[in-house]
Amino acid sequence: MGCCNKLCGLKAGIGAGIAVAILGIILIPVGNNIIRETVTKESVIEPGTTAWDNWVSADTPVYRQFWLFDVQNPQDVVENGSKPKLVEKGPYTYKTRYLPKENITANPENHTISFLLPAGAIFEPSLSVGSEEDSVTSLNLAVAYSNPLPFTSCIWGVSPILCQVGSVAAQLFSRRTVREILWGYKDPILKGTLGLFFPYNGTYDGPYSVFTGKNDISKVSIIDSWKVSFWNNTYCDMINGTDGSSFSPFLDKKKPLYFFSPDISRSVSAEYERSLNLKGIEVYRFKLPPLTLASPAVNPDNQCFCTDSVVSKNCTLAGVLDISSSRGQPVYISLPHFLHGSPYLVEDVEGLGPSEEHHVTFLDVEPTTGFSLRFAKRLQVNMMYGPSKIITVLKKVKDYTVLPIVWLNETASLDDETADRFKKELLSRVDMLETVQFTLIGLGSAALVLCTVAHCLVSRNNKLV
């Protein structure tokens, strides 16, 4: 009777082990569905969700670091046509994106939300190498802004002041403060305010319209519309992807991420490079591929961005994007130090050293939520000068040169407090659910094995008796 009770108990244990293990296995798809439903709900941009709280606020500090290029031999360049010798000065750091979105308007008919993004910059001395009053010798913005290429005659619209032979006002280079070059100064030649980023404070980017993801979570944060078109081409004027701050949840690292950059008035893609640990959170690092600013001969998709045969050397130039049509001034964008650009861009000046580590743009994205937890958007602002028979300061210039003026790194990263909250609110729930799943599978499997072994032993002993 005792043996019978033992066998019955062991059989019951085997059954219980199987049941517990099956429960654990069943919880895997059930748990995954719970996680997916929770994340999907919290990723919709509407009041009351985690995505809304992150989207509408401006709590995470975003910084713009500037490195300006100081021309060491301006007189030699003008008098002898020598290569400019550059020394990088920086960073000069400003806090940006600290103002919340304005004019937020829901558009339920197409599940979008529109808004304006106010611009502001506050100098951060503790994060900078010097003050805004540090001086830098750079290309004279009055010369650069008032002269279309090529410089052939005054009838091309060149400023009359610059056409005056021997004019002391029209110097190819000028010495200005960091504040003046970035944010503006009153120019005596053009009688107006000039600056690389003037106007900035008090202005707005937008209006934007983005999808909320309410009816289709795969479209969350994707930009539906922004301002107007600049490229006069259907393909180049397409706005693909989000603003880069977030993407749809449950990322597939085999697929590129698309985002729109208003600084260059075009969309770009980023490709998965590797997985990283950021403050205890796994993130996927996506980087801009070298083909982003490749010449149309290498990347035909860039053909419609080639708008000037002189600047692009008949569309063979790699690494430079002419955004004059969107800025209203002759401005050319590249990656810092002409990373991934045509070799002669670096060879035409002295003092550059392109580096993948320091000069590439990247996004560190949490794959479950699609939130960008760290990013670095790196761009370089360049201008061009070239030979001219009618402008005194350009007569000895030998060839057209794309001259770096400043490069910037717009960057942000979640802080320790935000990381802890993120892990507590999301990852801890995921981890707890996975722990329960595997604990049940483990306990059930262990009970099944132990009870099966014990059952075999008891049965054999019964036979021996």
Side-chain angles (χ1 to χ4, degrees):
M1 187 71 178
C3 290
C4 182
N5 289 337
K6 288 182 180 179
L7 288 173
C8 291
L10 290 173
K11 287 179 180 179
I14 292 173
I18 293 174
V20 171
I22 291 175
L23 178 61
I25 294 172
I26 291 174
L27 278 179
I28 293 177
V30 172
N32 290 340
N33 286 336
I34 292 173
I35 293 171
R36 181 170 289 274
E37 290 176 3
T38 301
V39 171
T40 298
K41 180 181 178 181
E42 291 298 319
S43 296
V44 176
I45 303 175
E46 63 179 3
T49 67
T50 301
W52 173 267
D53 294 339
N54 293 330
W55 182 83
V56 77
S57 71
D59 293 337
T60 302
V62 178
Y63 296 99
R64 275 197 175 188
Q65 301 171 296
F66 295 94
W67 286 262
L68 289 85
F69 292 99
D70 192 16
V71 180
Q72 304 296 294
N73 61 334
Q75 187 172 352
D76 196 24
V77 174
V78 173
E79 295 180 356
N80 304 312
S82 301
K83 291 182 180 181
K85 296 180 180 179
L86 308 178
V87 171
E88 186 180 273
K89 297 180 68 174
Y92 295 91
T93 304
Y94 294 80
K95 183 179 180 180
T96 62
R97 305 297 186 195
Y98 57 88
L99 297 170
K101 297 175 177 68
E102 297 185 12
N103 290 6
I104 298 175
T105 305
N107 308 303
E109 65 279 2
N110 64 348
H111 302 286
T112 64
I113 190 166
S114 57
F115 62 94
L116 290 172
L117 193 61
I122 301 174
F123 185 61
E124 296 282 353
S126 63
L127 301 176
S128 305
V129 297
S131 78
E132 290 183 290
E133 306 310 313
D134 289 353
S135 295
V136 176
T137 298
S138 188
L139 192 65
N140 188 345
L141 297 184
V143 175
Y145 281 8
S146 62
N147 292 278
L149 296 175
F151 303 125
T152 54
S153 67
C154 286
I155 63 172
W156 278 79
V158 177
S159 169
I161 297 178
L162 302 181
C163 287
Q164 296 174 9
V165 177
S167 170
V168 295
Q171 298 297 317
L172 181 58
F173 298 97
S174 64
R175 193 157 183 84
R176 295 282 179 181
T177 66
V178 171
R179 184 202 303 268
E180 289 175 328
I181 293 173
L182 296 179
W183 311 116
Y185 60 91
K186 293 292 184 180
D187 184 79
I189 299 178
L190 300 183
K191 310 299 182 183
T193 301
L194 302 182
L196 293 178
F197 300 96
F198 177 84
Y200 190 79
N201 284 340
T203 64
Y204 292 86
D205 181 20
Y208 285 89
S209 178
V210 303
F211 289 100
T212 63
K214 181 69 174 179
N215 67 324
D216 184 355
I217 198 61
S218 68
K219 296 173 68 175
V220 67
S221 297
I222 290 178
I223 299 172
D224 180 43
S225 65
W226 173 81
K227 281 189 178 180
V228 295
S229 61
F230 292 105
W231 300 103
N232 296 319
N233 181 279
T234 302
Y235 180 81
C236 280
D237 281 325
M238 290 175 62
I239 299 178
N240 297 319
T242 72
D243 65 357
S245 63
S246 65
F247 300 89
S248 61
F250 312 109
L251 293 184
D252 181 353
K253 59 186 177 184
K254 296 179 181 179
K255 296 181 180 179
L257 296 180
Y258 292 91
F259 62 96
F260 177 76
S261 174
D263 294 316
I264 60 176
S265 303
R266 65 164 287 186
S267 300
V268 296
S269 65
E271 297 177 349
Y272 172 81
E273 184 198 37
R274 66 183 189 274
S275 298
L276 299 170
N277 185 295
L278 176 62
K279 299 183 184 297
I281 303 170
E282 183 188 26
V283 294
Y284 291 171
R285 171 157 293 186
F286 288 81
K287 293 169 58 175
L288 255 62
L291 286 178
T292 301
L293 297 179
S295 71
V298 177
N299 183 2
D301 289 343
N302 284 339
Q303 183 64 53
C304 50
F305 294 115
C306 180
T307 58
D308 191 306
S309 60
V310 174
V311 173
S312 66
K313 295 185 181 294
N314 292 321
C315 297
T316 62
L317 177 64
V320 174
L321 179 68
D322 181 357
I323 62 167
S324 302
S325 60
S326 64
R327 284 293 302 270
Q329 294 104 14
V331 175
Y332 310 97
I333 297 296
S334 69
L335 295 181
H337 289 238
F338 296 124
L339 179 67
H340 303 318
S342 296
Y344 65 80
L345 291 169
V346 177
E347 296 166 359
D348 283 350
V349 297
E350 296 182 14
L352 299 183
S355 163
E356 186 81 16
E357 178 183 358
H358 297 107
H359 300 143
V360 77
T361 290
F362 69 83
L363 304 165
D364 289 342
V365 187
E366 199 284 313
T368 301
T369 61
F371 294 159
S372 295
L373 302 186
R374 178 171 61 189
F375 68 86
K377 182 177 69 176
R378 293 156 174 168
L379 299 172
Q380 182 170 289
V381 178
N382 311 278
M383 293 186 173
M384 180 177 279
Y385 67 90
S388 172
K389 295 180 179 179
I390 54 95
I391 300 179
T392 304
V393 295
L394 297 175
K395 285 184 176 180
K396 293 186 178 181
V397 172
K398 298 175 181 178
D399 198 1
Y400 294 104
T401 300
V402 181
L403 185 69
I405 308 298
V406 61
W407 76 269
L408 65 90
N409 176 33
E410 183 173 278
T411 184
S413 180
L414 83 168
D415 54 27
D416 293 338
E417 181 181 350
T418 305
D420 290 340
R421 186 170 67 250
F422 185 89
K423 287 184 287 188
K424 179 180 179 181
E425 293 180 356
L426 176 65
L427 300 186
S428 62
R429 297 179 186 178
V430 175
D431 291 341
M432 181 179 69
L433 192 55
E434 289 181 347
T435 300
V436 171
Q437 293 169 353
F438 291 113
T439 298
L440 290 175
I441 294 173
L443 290 175
S445 299
L448 174 62
V449 171
L450 292 175
C451 289
T452 300
V453 171
H455 184 276
C456 292
L457 292 175
V458 172
S459 297
R460 187 176 64 180
N461 289 337
N462 286 344
K463 291 179 180 179
L464 292 176
V465 173

